[in-house]
Amino acid sequence: MEAELLEIRQHMGRFPPFDALDDDLLDSMAGQVEVAYFKAGSDILQLDQELHELCYIRSGAVEIRRRTGDLYDRLGEGDIFGHFSLLRNNRVRFPARALEDTLIYYLPETVFQHLCEADEHFADFVELERPRLEAAVEEHKKANDMMITRVRKLLTRYPVMVEASATVQEAARQITAAQASSALILDEPDDPRYTFSDSQDRPWRLRGILTDSDFRTRIVAEGVSPDTPVGELASGGLITIQSDESVHEAMLCMLRNNIHHLPVLYRRRPVGIVHLSDIIRYETHSSLYLVSNIFHQSSVDGLARLAPDVRAAFVRMVEEGASSQMVGSALSTIGRSFARRLLELAEEALGPPPVAYCFMVNGSMARNEQTAVTDQDNALILSDDFEPARHDAYFLSLAQFVSDGLAACGYAYCKGEVMATNSQWRQPLSVWKRYFEEWIESPTPERLLHCSIFFDLDSAHGEEAYVEQLQDLIAKKAPNSPLFLAALARNALNRTPPLGFFRTFVMEKDGKHNNSINLKRRGTAPLVDLIRVHALACGSRAQNSFERLDDIAATQLLAPGASDKLRYAMELLSMVRIRHQVFDLQQEHEPDNNIEPENVADSERHHLKDAFQALSHAQKFLKYRYPVPAQTGRAR
C-alpha cells in the first residue's frame, strides 16, 4: 500500500466507527478516499445541497447547525458528519462550516453503503436513532451479558404455596414432599391491587413466607402445636423481586435486607423462590462474601483488615464487566454494612441507646454510587425525646466510635465535617425537619451546599421511618418552591465540563494533577447536581441518579430523549472514572478521579467529548427551565 493510503488508513482506523472495521474493509475504504481543504469560515455543506459522500475530519474544526440556524454540534479531528443525509434523501439537513482551516476526507456513498451492510457496528454507529454516545454505552452493555442475567434463569421449579388456614404439620409435609426449604403463605385478598389468580382463577394475595429457619426457631424451639394455622406464624413484611431483575440485583436485595429466601414474581404472580445458595452458586463477585465477613467481625481491627478486600472486590467487578450501577450499588451496600456493624459494636460497648435514633448516610453512599475513592457523609437523626444534657454524651461517643471505625476501614473523614460527630448534624427529627424547611424556603449559598449533600439520604441503621419522613418532606415542598429550584439550578452550574470552544479538553492546572481532567469534579458531580434539580422538581423520592432519571422521564420536565442522553453520559463518565481507578490500583497507586487524555484511547476520548457535550447542553437548558421568579428578584 502506498504511503499516502497507509497514512489515511491508519488515521481513520484510530477513530470510531472505523476503529472496529476489519483490515480488509479498512484497506478497500482507504483507496477510495478523496481529500478537500477548507479555509476557516468557509462553508463545507450548505442546507439542502445534494450530498453523496461521508465527511471525515482529518484536521481542523467544524461547526454543525440545525435548519433553523441554531448550533447543533462542534466537531474535531476524527469526527464524521453528513451520514444523516446519506441515510435519508441525500439532501443536507445539517449545514457545516469550517471553524478553522480544515482538511476533510470524503468517502463515496457506495463505500458508505457497503460498510453499513458489511459491518453491524458501523451501521449502528451512523444511524440517527443511535448517536455515538448511546452506541458507546450500548457496546459496553453487550459485554455485560453475565451481569444482566435475569433472576428467572435461576428458577428450576414453582414455589410451594400453602393456604393460611393450613396447619403447620400440613405445610411441613408439603415442603418435605417438594424437597424445598420454604413455602409461600397465601390468604384471601383484601386489596385487589395486590392479588393474583391461580390456575383455577381463584384470587389470592401473598401473606408471608415460612422457611426452614422458621420451623426451627419459631415452631419447634417454641413448642408450637402442629395444628396451629401457618397464617399465624408466617413472616410478615414480605420482600420480593420481579423475575426480570438481574441476578446481581437479587443478591444486593438479599444482602440489604439480611434474608436468605427471596420470592420471585412475574408481575404479581409468584413463579419461584431464590435461595442465597442459588446466588452463591451463580454469583462470581466477592462482594457477597465480603458483606458476610463484615457481620462476622467482632472488633474494629477485624473490620479494618477487610479494607483490602473491598478494593479487590471493586477490581474484580469492573474486570468482569459490571456496569457503573452495579459497582456503585455493591460498594454502597458494603459501606452501609461497615457502618451497621460498627453501630452494633458501639451499642455493645456503650449499652443500649437512651432514645431511638437513625444513622443516616448521605452523598454517594445514599445514592448507591460509591467508587473506590470516597469519604464519609453521615448524620444522626434522634427521637424528639432526645434531651441534650442527658443523652448527647452517649450519641457523641457512638458517632465517634463509628466515624473512627469507618476511617480505619478506608472511608476518610469528611473534610467539611459532614459527620455525626459534628453536633450540627446530630439532632432530633423535629430539628432536621426545620433544617430542611429553612433550606428550601430561604436558600442561601451555604444552605444550597447543605442541600447538595443532605438531599441524597438513606438509612443505614435504626429507625428508617425518620429518613422516610424527611424524604416525604422534600418531595412535598421542593416541587412547589420555584425560588429554591431556581437557586439550586444556578448552584448546579458552578462546575462545568472541561470542553473548550473547539471541543478540546480544558485541563486542570493544580500542580499535582496538572494537565489532567478530574472526572468527578468536571463530569459526574455536575451531572448528579443537575439530575437532582430535575428530580426535586418532579417530586421524585428516588436517591440513585439513574432511578431519578426514570422518574424525570415519566414527566414533561425535559424534551423526549433528553433523559436518555443524560443516562448515557452518566454511565460513560462513571465507567471511565471507575476503570481509571482500577488501573491505579493494579499499578499499586492510590486511586483518584484524574485522567490524562493522552493516556486514553482515541475512541474513548471521542466518547468523553460526547458525554461532556451532553452535560454542557443540559446545563445551558437548566437556568431557562428554572427561572428566578419575577416577584422575588434575584436569588441570593
Side-chain angles (χ1 to χ4, degrees), residues 418-429:
V418 180
M419 298 177 291
T421 50
N422 183 339
S423 60
Q424 186 179 5
W425 313 129
R426 193 174 64 252
Q427 295 291 335
L429 178 60

Side-chain angles (χ1 to χ4, degrees), residues 370-389:
Q370 284 208 308
T371 69
V373 181
T374 189
D375 62 0
Q376 300 181 38
D377 286 309
N378 54 62
L380 277 172
I381 309 174
L382 308 171
S383 164
D384 284 334
D385 295 330
F386 171 75
E387 299 178 21

Side-chain angles (χ1 to χ4, degrees), residues 226-237:
D227 296 325
T228 303
V230 291
E232 298 179 9
L233 302 169
S235 301

